Amino acid sequence: MAEQKATNVHWHDGEVTREDRQKMLKQKGATLWFTGLSGSGKSTVAVALEKALIEKGHLCYRLDGDNVRLGINKNLGFSAEDRAENIRRIGEIAKLFVDTGVIVLSSFVSPYRADRDQVRELHAQSDMDFLEIFVDVPLSVAEERDPKGLYKKARAGEIKNFTGIDDPYEAPQQAEVVLNSHEMSLEKEVEVLLEEMSKRGII
């Protein structure tokens, strides 16, 4: 975790609790953390799930890797250190959303297990639901899809530190849900996720 640099700072509790906000929204805040190779289908299923949840009357918000790097994390690159800080910041943002009672759909390659585990622990410390969703496809499938042309550039040496090519991807060992997007329809993936959320009392 990042070092606390500021001194003489203290948490200020309010009079409205997380439970108050969840009761108002009629749902339980939670983070669904989609991880997998670029091109695995993380963003695609998150977009579809977001739509399904909204249609069912559930407030949710989608955090996407590229979108975040165009804003709050625009000063970060793709070194191991920057990747770790990228995920740390997203974890903190997700936690804030969950505290308001919102369901967070977070789609990031997040290749390092330790970084994802830190976000999981951050949620656990505040008794918040965190579901790791491993969108699992073979590298060959992700590379064949290559929706942004990134694998082609990485193979040509135009992109360095690209996950799956010259940087590792550490697959989850105990993900709450595993989606094989090359073998499942998008509708089935959304169905599986809605069932899991219902089983856990999130919706």
Side-chain angles (χ1 to χ4, degrees):
M1 284 294 187
E3 177 187 355
Q4 177 71 47
K5 290 187 177 181
T7 58
N8 299 312
V9 291
H10 306 277
W11 185 265
H12 187 184
D13 283 319
E15 295 185 6
V16 178
T17 67
R18 187 189 315 158
E19 289 72 24
D20 292 332
R21 290 185 284 267
Q22 291 180 160
K23 184 177 179 180
M24 181 183 69
L25 293 171
K26 297 181 176 62
Q27 66 182 42
K28 187 178 180 182
T31 292
L32 275 67
W33 191 278
F34 295 85
T35 179
L37 293 169
S38 177
S40 62
K42 301 180 300 300
S43 295
T44 300
V45 68
V47 166
L49 179 59
E50 180 183 37
K51 183 178 180 182
L53 286 169
I54 292 294
E55 288 175 348
K56 291 177 178 293
H58 296 291
L59 182 60
C60 57
Y61 194 81
R62 188 172 50 84
L63 297 170
D64 188 81
D66 281 1
N67 294 358
V68 169
R69 282 184 175 275
L70 288 169
I72 194 169
N73 288 349
K74 68 193 303 182
N75 64 322
L76 299 177
F78 290 94
S79 66
E81 294 77 13
D82 279 4
R83 285 180 186 269
E85 176 60 12
N86 182 55
I87 298 307
R88 187 196 70 80
R89 291 183 193 177
I90 297 311
E92 293 284 0
I93 292 170
K95 180 184 171 186
L96 289 173
F97 273 107
V98 173
D99 194 46
T100 68
V102 174
I103 298 166
V104 183
L105 310 178
S106 181
S107 303
F108 295 83
V109 173
S110 44
Y112 305 130
R113 196 174 296 126
D115 295 341
R116 299 191 305 268
D117 287 347
Q118 283 190 348
V119 177
R120 179 187 289 277
E121 179 59 24
L122 181 69
H123 283 65
Q125 288 171 359
S126 295
D127 194 27
M128 294 176 171
D129 282 314
F130 176 89
L131 281 67
E132 191 171 28
I133 315 299
F134 180 27
V135 186
D136 184 16
V137 300
L139 174 61
S140 59
V141 172
E143 193 166 357
E144 182 179 346
R145 290 174 176 172
D146 203 10
K148 302 172 186 174
L150 300 178
Y151 285 101
K152 184 178 180 180
K153 290 181 179 179
R155 289 292 187 189
E158 297 173 22
I159 299 177
K160 302 297 183 185
N161 306 119
F162 191 77
T163 302
I165 304 300
D166 58 351
D167 218 44
Y169 177 79
E170 299 171 358
Q173 295 177 321
Q174 293 182 315
E176 279 71 19
V177 178
V178 177
L179 301 175
N180 302 109
S181 70
H182 60 303
E183 298 175 346
M184 302 170 68
S185 69
L186 183 59
E187 292 75 17
K188 181 61 177 178
E189 290 180 285
V190 170
E191 179 186 333
V192 167
L193 292 169
L194 290 174
E195 288 177 357
E196 185 69 18
M197 295 172 74
S198 178
K199 184 176 74 174
R200 292 173 179 272
I202 297 169
I203 58 173

